[in-house]
Each structure stands twice: as C-alpha cells, then as structure tokens.
Amino acid sequence: MARKAILWAAGFLSFWSYPRIAAQQPPAPIGQAQPEKPTPASTTKHKLGPVEIHVNWRARAEGWNWFKGDLGRNDYALGHSLLRIGIGQARDRFDWQIEIAQDTLLGLPSDAIAPTPQGQLGLGGTYYAANGNHSNNASAFVKQAFLKFKSPVRNLRVGRFEFFDGLEIQPKVTTLASLIQTRISQRLIANFGFSAVQRSFDGATFSSNFGKSNLTFLAARPTEGVFQVDGMGELDIDVYYGAFNLPVESKHSTGQIRVFGLGYIDHRTIVLKTDNRPLASRAGDHGRIEIGTYGADYLHVFNTAKFGKFDILGWGALQTGSWGLLVQRAGAFVGELGWQPPVQSLEPWLSGGYSYGSGDGNSNDSRHGTFFQVLTTPRLYARFPFYNMMNNQDFYGTLNLRPNAKLQLRSEAHTLRLASAADLWYLGGGAFQSQTFGYTGRPSNGQQGLANVWDLSADYQITPWFSATLYYAHAWGKGVISDIYPNGSSAQLAYLETSFHF
C-alpha cells in the first residue's frame, strides 16, 4: 500500500482519536467472536431531566489498494465519521426515541473510477460517485424516531428505526448469542453498519413472546444513505419479514432454531437491474422485482468438561417470485463448525465453514438464478468487502484469540469462487439511493476462481467508553480478477477506527 495513504490515514486518526470520538459497542465477552460494528445499539444512557440521552461517535481512516487496471487511481486513503445523538424516554406502557445522525466524508478520490468493467476502484470511488462527484461531504438527518408500545409479552414499534434479521431474541448463553450476532444475523436485512452513513427503515415491527419462543413481524421501507451522506429520504421499496424463534435446551447444550419469510418489492422500474443479461435486455426490462425468500437456521453449542465447547450452525434460504420480466429461482446455504478448546491462555476459538449463494447459468433464458441478498450488511461475512453472497462459494476458516480482557484478535482466511462461470462477480449490500440499483457486477469471462483472502483485526477497549480497532486484509486475485485487472490482481485494505460512546 502506498506510503502516502498510510501517512494520510495516520494523520486523520491522530486528529480524531482524542476522546471526542465515538463509538460503538465494547468487545464481546471473553471467548466470543467480536461482533461486527455497528450492531444494534446497546448504548449507555444518561439522564437529562425526564429524558435519557446517548451519544455514539465513530471515526475511521481507510487505506485502499484496489486491484490495478489500465486507468484510474487504485491506491488512496479516505476518512469519515458518524456522530449519533439520541434522546428518549422509557415509560411503563411505551418508549420513545429520537436520534439525529451527522456524517462526514473527507478526501474522497476523484479518479478512483475506471471505465467498465473495472468500475469503481474500492469504496472511495463508490462514495465519490454516490455524492455527486464531491471529495468532501457532510450531512445531518433523522436516523431514528419511533414510539414503542409494550406489555410484558408483546410490543409494537412504529416510526423510523434500525432492524437486523436474526436478532429477534437475545439468548442468555453468551457463546450462542455471539454466534447469532456474528454468523447468522444481518444476512438479508440490516443497516449496512460498516458503511459511513448506514440505513434505517420506516414502518412498524410487532413482536410477541410465547414462553421462551418469539414471533416477530416487520413491514417497512428502507431509507437512503449507506454511501450517500443524505440519509433522510425513503426508497420506493417495500420489505415484509416474519420470523419464529424457538430455543432448544438440554443439560449440557443449548441451541436455537429460526424459521423466516421475507418479501421484497422494488417499485423502481426505471432503475437498470444488475444481472448477467446483455445491456439491451436489461434496459428494456421495466418490470418490478418481487421476491419471496423462505428459510431457516439452526445453531447449537455443546459443552464438554474434557474437550471444551463445540458449536454447529446451518442457514439456508430459497427464493421465488419475479426479477422484472424473469422468474426468480435461487437459493443459498451456510454450514459451519466451531471449537473452543479448554485453554485458559488466549482462549482460542477456531471455526470453519462453507457458504454458497447460487448464480445464474444462462443469461438467455426466462429464469434468474442469482441469489439476491436483499438489504444486507455484506461486510459482516466479507470483511474485505469486495464480494458478497451472490453467485459465490466461500470456503473459510477463522481464529479468535483473547490475550487479555481488553484485547481481542480475529483472523480469517477465505477461498472464493463464483458459483457459476456464466454469471457475474457481484458487490454491494442493497439499494441506497433512488437512481442506483444497489448492487454492481463485473464479468467472469468464463472463469470461476475469484480470490484467496487473509485478514487480521485487533479490537482494544481502552476505557469503558473509548475503543479502537485496527484491521488489515490482503486478497490474491484469481482468474476472474486477473482478467479484469491485468496490471495487478492483488489488493489490500487497512483501517484504523476509534469510537466513543456516552
């Protein structure tokens, strides 16, 4: 990575990292995988008269060294911050909350966009294009504003809020809770937490408990934001979601099963869809996207006195409906095994798994076979965010270490292949502005090998209210990438993030 990018990043963080900066959630309890930031707010609240106030402020400097083509700048740095200030009140029968967000993007590269198929050379090019080709951008908007009517067993929330699929209930067993948060949740609906702006939802949620089980429904519309600094507007997209969660417990183990359904209707018929059809076919398709996603997941943690803890999980989904003029038929699944040996020092947690999202094998028929990841946070499962779950096969392994109570280390290794050589290499996490589809695709050129990736992160809780994260990743591109970027098929990402919460 270019030296100037590293120096720029260090300089930006030296300015922001004094305890004015904001933050997210502290590291997970010992022995758990570190939750991706940000996750649903579990902020410290302080009384201000009759109301409660909370402040979260995240700042990050990113250094990008994207795959290299013939044109465009692939090596650069950028910085951004997101300040969230909320007030609210918890009453016996209802809660209310209003949260304002102020986001800033600095130093976006003006030349990190190349002609097709090389496209945007990392998120610097994405942020620049999404904000009217301006290098420095700032905005403020209402992030959340809702009323929640509640009783001991059910609640109704109406207004603007964040929503994360899979997090309908919080298990008491910390290992199981961590697995749900880091390996199950946000695969289809989330706030795109890694992005500089994030997204919210306008609508309603209803939740009801039946003993230890839970039934949750969502009907909402996503807001703009994510890469665009103005997150106030609402998109012409309908989202419907329902899930039933049931804990499964025994003397030496605990688990949880979820069954869910998700409806997605995109009314933006003039927006060009991203798929593997020729441009003329896509330009002539003004049909709505109407997709139903039906799936389930199951997790279980086994405790043994001699060999430590073992965990298993499975997640799967099928999709039907219509992709404009095409019929949608797609699917995805994930399987993973984990082990926490009974070692006190470093408290290691090892896991390995396989993730598959279907691709489309024929661009000329009436069927669209690419799994659609809806409105996700892709970076939770693709920490170097140059891919997602669409038309993707991912063989991966992870290692978590906890040298002490304040420091958590995590390393991941991935081998990535396209599920279908006839389909595209997809990037993105869903719609974020009215005129942009939300996912981009690059041609495979008949190849399937995408990349090998290795990364390492360190999360350090400096004080109860101030934390820092250091991240580095390296990708070695294979045939798909080397055909598109002939001058450099390797890429790197490094960032330093500080966060403060009050």
Side-chain angles (χ1 to χ4, degrees):
M1 187 166 299
R3 181 182 177 187
K4 58 184 177 182
I6 297 174
L7 291 175
W8 199 102
F12 177 83
L13 261 295
S14 67
F15 172 77
W16 284 104
S17 61
Y18 195 66
R20 301 176 300 175
I21 306 177
Q24 318 291 331
Q25 194 172 341
I30 294 176
Q32 294 185 31
Q34 176 68 19
E36 180 62 28
K37 301 178 179 181
T39 52
S42 59
T43 56
T44 303
K45 296 180 180 180
H46 300 271
K47 281 286 188 179
L48 183 65
V51 301
E52 296 175 327
I53 183 170
H54 67 264
V55 177
N56 284 273
W57 198 351
R58 181 189 70 183
R60 186 190 307 143
E62 302 177 8
W64 286 84
N65 179 238
W66 190 254
F67 311 104
K68 188 172 179 58
D70 299 321
L71 298 171
R73 182 181 175 190
N74 73 314
D75 195 354
Y76 55 85
L78 61 92
H80 54 85
S81 77
L82 178 62
L83 172 64
R84 298 171 61 167
I85 301 175
I87 61 171
Q89 195 173 26
R91 306 294 295 269
D92 292 338
R93 295 185 177 275
F94 69 91
D95 302 342
W96 65 269
Q97 180 176 317
I98 298 175
E99 184 181 65
I100 305 299
Q102 193 284 315
D103 53 347
T104 303
L105 282 161
L106 299 174
L108 301 181
S110 61
D111 50 359
I113 302 175
T116 303
Q118 294 171 5
Q120 296 163 359
L121 308 178
L123 290 189
T126 303
Y127 286 121
Y128 185 79
N131 291 283
N133 297 337
H134 297 295
S135 293
N136 301 304
N137 305 270
S139 183
F141 56 92
V142 178
K143 187 73 174 71
Q144 298 190 90
F146 61 82
L147 280 171
K148 184 167 74 173
F149 304 94
K150 59 187 182 180
S151 74
V153 296
R154 60 184 58 90
N155 66 71
L156 172 67
R157 180 175 54 171
V158 181
R160 172 168 292 191
F161 46 79
E162 293 187 319
F163 188 85
F164 307 82
D165 80 280
L167 294 181
E168 293 82 34
I169 60 176
Q170 181 74 13
K172 295 181 180 180
V173 177
T174 55
T175 300
L176 185 63
S178 180
L179 280 170
I180 291 173
Q181 190 175 52
T182 61
R183 308 309 303 165
I184 289 293
S185 73
Q186 307 184 50
R187 287 192 179 271
L188 298 174
I189 308 176
N191 68 347
F192 207 138
F194 181 71
S195 66
V197 187
Q198 307 176 12
R199 71 163 63 92
S200 298
F201 294 87
D202 292 340
T205 63
F206 174 78
S207 179
S208 182
N209 296 324
F210 304 91
K212 295 181 179 180
S213 62
N214 173 269
L215 188 63
T216 295
F217 295 99
L218 163 76
R221 294 189 134 203
T223 66
E224 295 183 310
V226 180
F227 304 118
Q228 172 185 290
V229 291
D230 183 3
M232 190 66 192
E234 184 183 272
L235 295 171
D236 194 11
I237 294 171
D238 302 330
V239 181
Y240 306 96
Y241 170 82
F244 177 74
N245 285 268
L246 177 65
V248 180
E249 300 177 351
S250 65
K251 185 177 180 180
H252 299 292
S253 66
T254 183
Q256 183 170 306
I257 186 170
R258 175 180 61 136
V259 180
F260 63 87
L262 167 62
Y264 178 90
I265 305 174
D266 190 340
H267 301 276
R268 303 172 304 154
T269 57
I270 62 173
V271 175
L272 186 67
K273 299 173 180 64
T274 299
D275 57 54
N276 63 340
R277 290 177 293 174
L279 177 59
S281 298
R282 293 186 289 128
D285 185 350
H286 298 295
R288 296 189 303 183
I289 293 177
E290 299 178 299
I291 293 178
T293 304
Y294 312 96
D297 51 68
Y298 179 70
L299 306 88
H300 213 100
V301 178
F302 302 90
N303 301 301
T304 68
K306 186 175 181 181
F307 300 105
K309 294 181 180 180
F310 296 88
D311 58 81
I312 62 170
L313 69 85
W315 179 97
L318 296 174
Q319 289 183 334
T320 62
S322 61
W323 182 269
L325 299 178
L326 305 180
V327 174
Q328 177 77 9
R329 296 291 185 271
F333 65 87
V334 179
E336 186 175 311
L337 298 172
W339 177 41
Q340 299 177 63
V343 178
Q344 294 299 317
S345 61
L346 297 180
E347 302 187 11
W349 188 351
L350 302 93
S351 60
Y354 174 69
S355 170
Y356 172 86
S358 65
D360 189 89
N362 188 344
S363 62
N364 297 310
D365 63 7
S366 61
R367 174 181 173 274
H368 181 252
T370 307
F371 181 75
F372 181 59
Q373 214 174 345
V374 194
L375 297 164
T376 183
T377 296
R379 205 264 169 178
L380 188 62
Y381 305 98
R383 302 210 306 169
F384 190 168
F386 67 90
Y387 63 99
N388 57 27
M389 201 177 182
M390 298 167 60
N391 189 35
N392 182 265
Q393 299 181 74
D394 183 0
F395 298 87
Y396 60 89
T398 69
L399 171 63
N400 285 273
L401 299 173
R402 200 67 180 258
N404 57 57
K406 293 185 175 183
L407 176 63
Q408 171 135 359
L409 305 176
R410 181 178 179 91
S411 182
E412 297 189 3
H414 297 255
T415 295
L416 305 169
R417 290 173 55 83
L418 301 187
S420 172
D423 204 352
L424 307 178
W425 159 28
Y426 291 95
L427 302 86
F432 63 90
Q433 56 186 191
S434 59
Q435 71 273 23
T436 304
F437 184 69
Y439 290 99
T440 61
R442 293 176 171 87
S444 67
N445 296 313
Q447 304 273 1
Q448 279 190 276
L450 185 61
N452 291 328
V453 185
W454 172 83
D455 72 12
L456 176 65
S457 63
D459 294 274
Y460 192 74
Q461 192 69 32
I462 302 170
T463 71
W465 42 266
F466 182 64
S467 63
T469 297
L470 182 64
Y471 177 81
Y472 172 78
H474 192 109
W476 293 267
K478 295 184 179 179
V480 174
I481 291 175
S482 61
D483 279 358
I484 298 173
Y485 300 98
N487 295 333
S489 58
S490 292
Q492 300 173 85
L493 168 64
Y495 71 77
L496 177 60
E497 177 180 296
T498 57
S499 48
F500 168 82
H501 69 88
F502 169 82

